[in-house]
Amino acid sequence: MKYGHFDDDNREYVITNPATPFPWINYLGNEDFFSLISNTAGGYSFYKDAKFRRLNRYRYNNVPMDDGGRYFYIKDGDSVWNPGWKPSKTELDKYECRHGMNYTKIKGEKNGISAEVLFFVPLNTWAEIQKVTLTNTSNEAKKFKFFSYNEWALWNAASDMENFQRNFNTGEVEVEDSVIYHKTEYRERRNHFAYYSVNTEIDGFDTDRETFVGLYNSHEKPQVVLAGQPENSMAHGWSPIASHYIEVELNPGEAKDLIFVLGYVENQEDDKWESKGVINKTKAKEVIAKFNTTAKVEVAFEELRAYWDDILNVFTLESGDDRLDRQVNIWNQYQCMITFNFSRSASYFESGIGRGMGFRDSNQDLLGFVHQAPDRARQRVIDIASTQFPDGGCYHQYQPLTKRGNDEVGGGFNDDPMWLILGVTSYIKESGDYTILDEMVPFDNDESLSQTMFNHLTISFNHVINNLGPNKLPLIGRADWNDCLNLNCFSKDPNESFQTTENNSEGSKAESLMIAGLFVYYGRDYIELCKVLNKNEEATRAQKEVDAMVNAIKENGWDGEWFLRAYDFYGNKIGSKENEEGKIFIESNGWCTMASIGAEEGMCEKALDSVKERLDTKYGIVLNNPAYTKYHIEMGEISTYPPGYKENAGIFCHNNPWIMIGETELGRGDIAYDYYTKIAPAFIEDIQELHKTEPYVYSQMIAGKDAFKPGEAKNSWLTGTAAWNYAAITQHILGIRPALQGLLIDPCIPTKWDGFKVKRKFRGYTLNIEVQNPNHVSKGVREITIDGTKIEGNLIPVLTEGKEYDVIVTLG
Ligand code: GLC
Ligand code: GLC
């Protein structure tokens, strides 16, 4: 069964049945003010930080699912319905939800009334606009009652859900004209309030939840709506809400727009009050006035569309396959922007109160985002680097509002430093801007400890070699990329987190082959950077270290048919044929083959053949095999998951691209692309019922072959999967790869392809690239011409800004 389809011309996914297998969501806003919105208008908004500045209350894991949102109720005679079907779930004559690039349109129709709502956050605006278009599609005049509804969160989303002895007393609102203001805690330490307005006179309102919904009712049947009569209630403590009441009359064929604005305002300390106890509403009124007509809203909406046109015009593919084109040109890029904005903080699987921005996650996210807005990537990577410790270690996470490292999680994840090299070099490769290396960047957020960004990279590189174990391989610390391989944290206490429990790293022999491969791969980028900067001595030194690591991997990291995964605390092998379970892992085999370690000796080919044989499944490549069936305390969290889920033999989509890239290094384009299509959303649209999560974005995990329901996905949207799949397809399969000295063209495609076309904007000029594959090979560039002139090799050097060039690439 299918619940919707793609509309590529509009860059939308169109949902036609509201009862999707899981709420299918979208994100609004792209700089400061954000919203999550499901296909039935559930979700919430926040300013910058989903934990500390939550505007609306949302109930995770609630019964029914997806409870809380911006709801509009229509009471037409005895019938009560919502344009998005929920919460009343009255059957609609028509329903459609269109999720687009940072906007969502939801339309419901019932008994001759159509209600369409456009939701978006205009550029540079701290507010969500909800433009409601009500149309009388019948032949007779219609008179009905219209209610808006939104429940306020008391700002800190964590305490909002637990500290009721206080919360039930603090709620405060003001109502002026058609605007409901939420000002809880504004009297004390807060300099911010929220508001909800509509651009018409209202016939009543409510601000107290119990009055509106009824203590023993639900959002499905609020008593005020059933009665068709607002109470003009004022909230004092308990749970403040905002509901407008409007009586609507429409002649046959007549339409009317109502524009709602849900916004956030900050005031200076000395400017907080208009008079005693009355908040200063000036800024809110300015925003409301800016969007108080349909024409103004349409202009703002067009601006948003234009913004996305610009972003998505940087890389456009014509492959001849709609599925691939929509992945590359629309949805994968969109997801990359979303992961850049949110890291792993707020989705329908991340509650917004748990994790902040991840050091390793955010650096990897840059890989898929940097071409979209290089300036924002630049700032981000500086923010990230500022949380690094002077010895090269890193705070594993930081909070976006304060940009400071999180003490509760701390550091000790020994892969973190290398990802900074990825983040910074990705930025330079895209932009050609080397000045970032001269920026003075703090350590541990302490300005007095600042050093240049280049030094941060040197210190990151050194952190790995300063922390080697008995096999000359990198010590793992609390964990490497695999958060659940906690070889130094032997937790017996079920109340502790595996990542932050006691750390036995001292005296431990636990080493990681994944970090080893990562070090070689990005170590080479570091060396190249040194060379371009004429730091030849440093380049030579670094080269020696990388060579030594390659040797250590070949000597101590090869298991005969594949690369080992790790050595544990006691020095025992993990991911070896000697193990009973978990004989082979994906990560080390990905990174070591990406770095072509032992390629001459046939190690890469063997390793990838073993991956194919033991880890490949119909729905993607599982993380390890055989799955752990018993709990191994010395391995940490990994074996706490039942077989087939998450890091215990789930299909962890984030790391599948590492194998794809490894395959492209071997020149096996058919296999690489086959792996790509197994997990790419547009290619598995037909199994959406099994897959469960949104068919337009990647999920972090798909249940593996040992799971109860192989193929079922969880944890959609916020995952490194987005950036890595984008890198795998664009940079390694299509092979259009930014490099320090220009744009490298090195495709590795399925042999049956005749070629493809890409329009790439790069460092201020445009390349119309046509790749031709007359001999049906996978890899190997025979010739490149730029405007008819042949060039040497396959690197397109830096060209002239503002110009457009035709590039013909012939393979084989
Ligand atoms: C999650 C984490 C990421 C980690 C991965 C594997 O995606 O955000 O940091 O690398 O899980 O454990
Ligand atoms: C990552 C892993 C998850 C683990 C978590 C710990 O998200 O995927 O399994 O529990 O990190 O922070």
Side-chain angles (χ1 to χ4, degrees), residues 478 489-492 496-503:
R478 289 188 178 280
C489 315
F490 302 160
S491 174
K492 292 201 188 84
E496 275 182 326
S497 141
F498 288 92
Q499 282 75 36
T500 56
T501 185
E502 74 163 331
N503 183 357

Side-chain angles (χ1 to χ4, degrees), residues 350 355 397 483-484 497 499 637 641 646-647 652 700 715:
E350 300 277 10
R355 302 202 256 169
Q397 288 166 12
D483 267 339
C484 297
S497 141
Q499 282 75 36
E637 187 171 357
Y641 284 115
K646 295 281 281 184
E647 281 88 340
F652 216 96
Q700 182 207 53
N715 202 356

Side-chain angles (χ1 to χ4, degrees), residues 309-368:
D309 285 344
D310 276 353
I311 287 179
L312 297 178
N313 280 340
V314 178
F315 191 115
T316 14
L317 168 69
E318 263 179 65
S319 70
D321 184 335
D322 288 348
R323 295 169 303 177
L324 182 59
D325 289 358
R326 71 170 65 107
Q327 265 310 123
V328 171
N329 297 339
I330 307 173
W331 291 97
N332 193 180
Q333 292 208 52
Y334 182 54
Q335 189 175 4
C336 286
M337 165 73 89
I338 302 298
T339 55
F340 172 84
N341 282 338
F342 295 91
S343 191
R344 308 295 171 262
S345 64
S347 72
Y348 270 25
F349 297 85
E350 300 277 10
S351 61
I353 60 179
R355 302 202 256 169
M357 313 290 280
F359 193 98
R360 76 155 83 91
D361 292 337
S362 292
N363 275 305
Q364 291 172 82
D365 291 344
L366 286 182
L367 201 55

Side-chain angles (χ1 to χ4, degrees), residues 757-776:
K757 288 184 191 163
V758 165
K759 186 174 180 134
R760 179 67 156 98
K761 294 196 177 161
F762 187 66
R763 302 198 192 172
Y765 48 92
T766 304
L767 301 166
N768 299 308
I769 304 168
E770 184 174 344
V771 174
Q772 299 170 346
N773 190 18
N775 296 330
H776 289 272

Side-chain angles (χ1 to χ4, degrees), residues 512-681:
S512 161
L513 263 303
M514 188 262 162
I515 304 181
L518 186 71
F519 175 77
V520 173
Y521 196 81
Y522 290 121
R524 290 187 187 137
D525 270 7
Y526 175 70
I527 294 166
E528 210 191 321
L529 187 63
C530 291
K531 286 186 183 159
V532 172
L533 298 170
N534 277 322
K535 295 180 190 278
N536 295 321
E537 240 171 77
E538 176 62 358
T540 311
R541 176 192 79 98
Q543 185 66 55
K544 276 194 195 134
E545 299 294 352
V546 167
D547 292 345
M549 189 67 78
V550 169
N551 288 333
I553 295 172
K554 288 195 210 169
E555 274 163 37
N556 305 321
W558 181 247
D559 195 52
E561 300 288 324
W562 56 80
F563 293 96
L564 292 176
R565 177 62 177 87
Y567 286 93
D568 73 8
F569 182 84
Y570 309 99
N572 298 321
K573 292 175 183 171
I574 290 183
S576 161
K577 55 178 181 286
E578 293 166 20
N579 300 124
E580 215 175 291
E581 305 188 320
K583 287 176 189 289
I584 172 171
F585 277 71
I586 198 170
E587 304 100 316
S588 47
N589 287 294
W591 281 97
C592 292
T593 58
M594 281 167 75
S596 296
I597 295 164
E600 325 78 56
E601 294 93 329
M603 289 179 177
C604 293
E605 200 174 334
K606 266 193 197 160
L608 291 178
D609 286 347
S610 301
V611 166
K612 181 125 204 58
E613 185 190 325
R614 292 166 185 260
L615 302 181
D616 185 26
T617 78
K618 188 172 160 193
Y619 301 112
I621 313 169
V622 298
L623 193 146
N624 57 298
N625 183 262
Y628 294 103
T629 56
K630 294 187 289 257
Y631 174 51
H632 300 261
I633 187 168
E634 76 287 1
M635 297 185 68
E637 187 171 357
I638 188 162
S639 60
T640 64
Y641 284 115
Y645 294 96
K646 295 281 281 184
E647 281 88 340
N648 185 13
I651 295 158
F652 216 96
C653 299
H654 184 147
N655 54 36
N656 277 222
W658 301 341
I659 300 297
M660 297 169 204
I661 298 171
E663 289 287 358
T664 64
E665 289 298 320
L666 280 183
R668 305 201 295 196
D670 287 311
I671 306 182
Y673 191 64
D674 182 50
Y675 284 143
Y676 175 79
T677 58
K678 277 186 177 173
I679 60 169

Side-chain angles (χ1 to χ4, degrees), residues 296-312:
K296 290 181 192 174
V297 169
E298 271 162 12
V299 169
F301 186 57
E302 281 316 312
E303 283 169 7
L304 179 68
R305 300 274 285 204
Y307 166 87
W308 274 100
D309 285 344
D310 276 353
I311 287 179
L312 297 178

